[in-house]
Amino acid sequence: MFVEQRTYTLTVGGHVEWYENYQKYGMEAQKEILGHMVGYFHTEIGPLNQIVHMWAYEDLKERSERRAKLAADPRWQEMLPKNRPLIVDQESKILIPAPFSPIP
């Protein structure tokens, strides 16, 4: 198992609109299709105006299949044009848990 960490740097104060759009249009689809949400956050100290969310997957094949299904979902498609203008930068990391991690 591994965790994907996605970090979006947004326009100043953009996290409020991001959360509104995400909760109204995209959250249900993402949670249903991607499955294991590890966490969803925004930054308060350090680099500001960032949304960070993490999802756990068994392997890269599962991740690819789930992300393709999400991309095709009409609920997700409705949210994308609302949140894309808020994005300044995006970063994705694959995190491999340590042997003693609570996420095996």
Side-chain angles (χ1 to χ4, degrees), residues 8 13 15-17 22 27-29 33 41-43 52 54 60 69 72 79 91 93 96-98 103:
Y8 294 88
H15 73 281
V16 174
E17 186 177 350
Y22 179 69
M27 184 172 70
E28 181 180 313
I33 295 168
F41 313 90
H42 70 270
T43 56
V52 180
M54 294 176 275
L60 288 173
K69 186 175 178 183
M79 186 204 65
E91 180 181 30
K93 294 179 181 178
I96 308 299
I103 297 174

Side-chain angles (χ1 to χ4, degrees):
M1 178 174 275
F2 68 85
V3 172
E4 179 180 17
Q5 175 184 306
R6 287 189 165 224
T7 303
Y8 294 88
T9 302
L10 307 178
T11 57
V12 175
H15 73 281
V16 174
E17 186 177 350
W18 179 283
Y19 282 160
E20 289 172 1
N21 293 334
Y22 179 69
Q23 288 181 290
K24 186 173 182 179
Y25 301 103
M27 184 172 70
E28 181 180 313
Q30 194 172 39
K31 288 175 75 174
E32 175 187 310
I33 295 168
L34 295 188
H36 187 156
M37 179 194 284
V38 176
Y40 213 105
F41 313 90
H42 70 270
T43 56
E44 182 66 25
I45 296 175
L48 299 178
N49 304 303
Q50 291 186 329
I51 295 285
V52 180
H53 53 101
M54 294 176 275
W55 299 85
Y57 301 97
E58 288 300 320
D59 54 42
L60 288 173
K61 182 177 185 281
E62 178 198 15
R63 177 191 173 274
S64 294
E65 290 169 353
R66 288 181 179 270
R67 293 217 53 90
K69 186 175 178 183
L70 178 65
D73 189 280
R75 298 168 293 177
W76 191 250
Q77 288 298 319
E78 187 175 6
M79 186 204 65
L80 291 178
K82 295 170 179 26
N83 275 359
R84 276 192 179 131
L86 300 170
I87 299 172
V88 174
D89 190 45
Q90 175 182 345
E91 180 181 30
S92 181
K93 294 179 181 178
I94 299 296
L95 307 174
I96 308 299
F100 49 82
S101 175
I103 297 174

